[in-house]
Amino acid sequence: MIKKIPLEHVLFLDIETVPQKPGFPDLDETTQLLWEQKSSYQRKDEISAEDFYERAGIWAEFGKIICISVGFFALKGSQRTFRVTSFHGEELQILKQFKDLLLSHFSQAKHLLCAHNGKEFDFPYIARRMVINGMELPYKLDLFGKKPWEVPHLDTMELWKFGDYKHYTSLKLLAHVLGIPSPKEDMDGSMVKDVFYIEKDLDRIVNYCELDVVTTAQVFLRLRNEELLGDREIKKV
């Protein structure tokens, strides 16, 4: 079925997130208590809420978005390009720019959003942060009242599950088993917090985020049994 979806109708995306504050002591007392309660079901007894705060960026209530990278196909006859761009900086600005892109270029019924594990992470995270920042949700992220088949979201991890709902496969593993050349990444998700707060190297994070968008698009192509993108077809704009 996914072969019937025109490639140019899909917006591929990935987000990078970090905890709201550099460290647990930087939080006010109420937020510290709420974090302790929220994280209690995941951390073991010997791990304190402060030590576990390294992972706070995973939760939209305690984290924030520092980069949204997107990619989309442009087709001209037999020529194919994949254009990648990123929104980064202050979170409110990132969200406004991303929303503007959706409204101006990907707002029609035919348009779909695609991310790896997007239904569990990227899409709800962006929506929650928009609400927290006082923004009205764009149609593509407002799922209230929509039937499952009306939700305009694709998820490469869900597509790979083939109905096996308990199965989890990372983007890196999926790319490997599908024979997709691994991009030369100099970091992984666990490093984003320190690269942002300690090294203050946002460009490095943006590059990492964009590579994941390209890899997600490559996985989508492989799931359609289509030729992978070559380096010359990938354009950063």
Side-chain angles (χ1 to χ4, degrees):
M1 288 293 291
I2 64 170
K3 289 203 73 169
K4 296 181 179 180
I5 300 172
L7 285 175
E8 62 269 30
H9 292 176
V10 183
L11 181 68
F12 297 87
L13 65 96
D14 185 53
I15 67 174
E16 298 302 331
T17 66
V18 295
Q20 280 282 340
K21 302 291 184 181
F24 183 76
D26 300 309
L27 302 174
D28 60 69
E29 288 186 12
T30 299
T31 307
Q32 286 183 351
L33 178 60
L34 290 169
W35 168 248
E36 187 172 352
Q37 295 170 346
K38 178 72 173 180
S39 61
S40 62
Y41 76 99
Q42 276 210 339
R43 55 187 171 86
K44 299 177 181 178
D45 293 337
E46 64 269 18
I47 302 177
S48 68
E50 181 171 356
D51 289 338
F52 201 71
Y53 187 69
E54 289 282 322
R55 300 188 61 188
I58 295 175
W59 286 273
E61 300 85 355
F62 298 94
K64 64 180 179 180
I65 296 171
I66 58 170
C67 178
I68 300 179
S69 294
V70 299
F72 54 93
F73 284 92
L75 306 177
K76 288 186 178 181
S78 60
Q79 290 188 326
R80 177 184 68 171
T81 59
F82 187 70
R83 301 179 182 181
V84 184
T85 192
S86 295
F87 309 117
H88 51 85
E90 293 298 321
E91 185 181 51
L92 183 57
Q93 178 188 10
I94 294 171
L95 294 172
K96 285 181 176 178
Q97 291 175 330
F98 178 69
K99 180 179 177 179
D100 287 345
L101 174 68
L102 292 184
L103 295 179
S104 61
H105 292 92
F106 290 92
S107 62
Q108 297 180 39
K110 64 184 180 181
H111 292 129
L112 301 167
L113 307 182
C114 181
H116 190 77
N117 198 29
K119 291 188 177 182
E120 290 287 330
F121 185 68
D122 304 73
F123 306 141
Y125 201 111
I126 294 172
R128 290 167 184 156
R129 292 309 301 173
M130 282 185 171
V131 172
I132 289 170
N133 279 278
M135 295 175 59
E136 185 174 344
L137 292 178
Y139 181 79
K140 293 299 180 184
L141 292 175
D142 188 357
L143 305 187
F144 182 76
K146 286 189 175 75
K147 296 177 177 62
W149 56 88
E150 296 174 331
V151 176
H153 298 165
L154 294 170
D155 188 328
T156 47
M157 190 176 81
E158 182 181 76
L159 292 170
W160 180 248
K161 285 180 176 181
F162 293 98
D164 182 1
Y165 293 105
K166 64 183 181 297
H167 192 73
Y168 175 83
T169 307
S170 69
L171 179 61
K172 190 172 184 177
L173 172 59
L174 186 52
H176 176 72
V177 299
L178 292 178
I180 297 169
S182 178
K184 295 180 179 178
E185 298 178 350
D186 66 342
M187 60 182 291
D188 59 47
S190 66
M191 300 166 62
V192 172
K193 174 182 176 290
D194 286 346
V195 173
F196 181 75
Y197 279 119
I198 298 176
E199 299 179 21
K200 301 187 185 302
D201 191 349
L202 184 55
D203 288 343
R204 186 179 173 195
I205 295 170
V206 170
N207 183 64
Y208 168 67
C209 193
E210 290 181 347
L211 288 173
D212 275 355
V213 170
V214 173
T215 302
T216 301
Q218 298 279 47
V219 166
F220 191 73
L221 289 173
R222 282 285 282 111
L223 291 172
R224 290 160 59 102
N225 198 31
E226 294 183 8
E227 187 177 348
L228 294 176
L229 288 163
D231 291 341
R232 291 183 178 180
E233 294 178 289
I234 302 169
K235 312 290 184 183
K236 292 190 178 184
V237 296

